[in-house]
Amino acid sequence: LFMLKQKLWKAIGAVSLKRQELTTRDNGTISIEWMDDPVTRSLPDDAPVLCVLHTITGSGDNSWDFLRDVPKYGWRACVFVRRGHGDNTLKNSTFNIMGDVEDTKLQVSEVQKKYPHAFLGMVGISAGSGLLITYLGKESKSSPIKAAASLCPAYDISKAFQGLADKYPVVSKHW
């Protein structure tokens, strides 16, 4: 029902996203999907930016329910879409279903270039929380992210994926 609701809202134009494709050093494809609505377009260049790290199978399209109200509070919103997710095709063998810190660094850098005077916040949703914590842990004080939150994180990833091998052996091989 949730997926049907998402498709319906997208079809009627309730949420519009503008895709910014990025090429990584190894020629991989990642993207930033920006909210593109009248409220967002009217925000000043120094409006704060909320960067969202999506769920394990997510993308910008799957995150719209979370994004749609962000501009009402004066924030610009975007989703960092990982390799192989959304419209990003896999162009090489580098893939991590949970995300890659180097890719996230590139996405953060692009946001900072686009809005150099904006306050940057970041939120990880479910599996995106793991990437958020890893990114902040590795980047520490060099990160321009000033506030962060993890929503619905899996605190014990081994328990979260306990039945993976039995139910999805092909996926489990790559975990």
Side-chain angles (χ1 to χ4, degrees):
L1 187 61
F2 179 73
M3 290 173 68
L4 181 62
K5 181 176 129 184
Q6 286 178 306
K7 293 209 179 283
L8 177 64
W9 278 67
K10 187 174 181 188
I12 63 171
V15 173
S16 178
L17 297 170
K18 189 173 188 175
R19 187 169 184 271
Q20 178 185 353
E21 188 173 291
L22 306 173
T23 302
T24 62
R25 277 189 279 158
D26 64 350
N27 291 319
T29 301
I30 57 177
S31 62
I32 302 172
E33 294 190 4
W34 296 91
M35 284 289 295
D36 186 32
D37 61 281
V39 176
T40 298
R41 288 190 294 270
S42 71
L43 293 172
D45 286 346
D46 64 348
V49 178
L50 181 64
C51 306
V52 176
L53 301 172
H54 60 74
T55 62
I56 198 165
T57 60
S59 66
D61 286 346
N62 299 117
S63 304
W64 70 266
D65 208 25
F66 180 79
L67 296 175
R68 68 179 176 186
D69 291 328
V70 173
K72 293 179 191 173
Y73 297 98
W75 285 65
R76 202 173 305 283
C78 64
V79 178
F80 289 179
V81 183
R82 300 188 291 268
R83 298 172 189 233
H85 293 260
D87 292 331
N88 295 338
T89 57
L90 285 175
K91 294 185 177 176
N92 58 36
S93 62
T94 304
F95 177 72
N96 182 334
I97 198 163
M98 303 301 266
D100 179 81
V101 170
E102 291 303 313
D103 292 352
T104 304
K105 283 171 52 176
L106 176 59
Q107 290 163 316
V108 169
S109 175
E110 286 298 314
V111 170
Q112 200 171 30
K113 281 182 206 170
K114 194 168 185 160
Y115 299 105
H117 303 292
F119 176 95
L120 302 183
M122 186 177 280
V123 62
I125 303 172
S126 191
S129 294
L131 180 56
L132 172 67
I133 298 304
T134 304
Y135 166 78
L136 292 175
K138 287 186 175 185
E139 290 306 296
S140 186
K141 293 178 182 164
S142 65
S143 172
I145 302 299
K146 302 295 183 209
S150 290
L151 304 178
C152 303
Y155 290 104
D156 186 343
I157 201 73
S158 62
K159 282 186 180 178
F161 290 101
Q162 206 163 23
L164 192 64
D166 295 334
K167 293 180 182 176
Y168 307 101
V170 174
V171 174
S172 182
K173 283 193 308 195
H174 301 286
W175 179 248

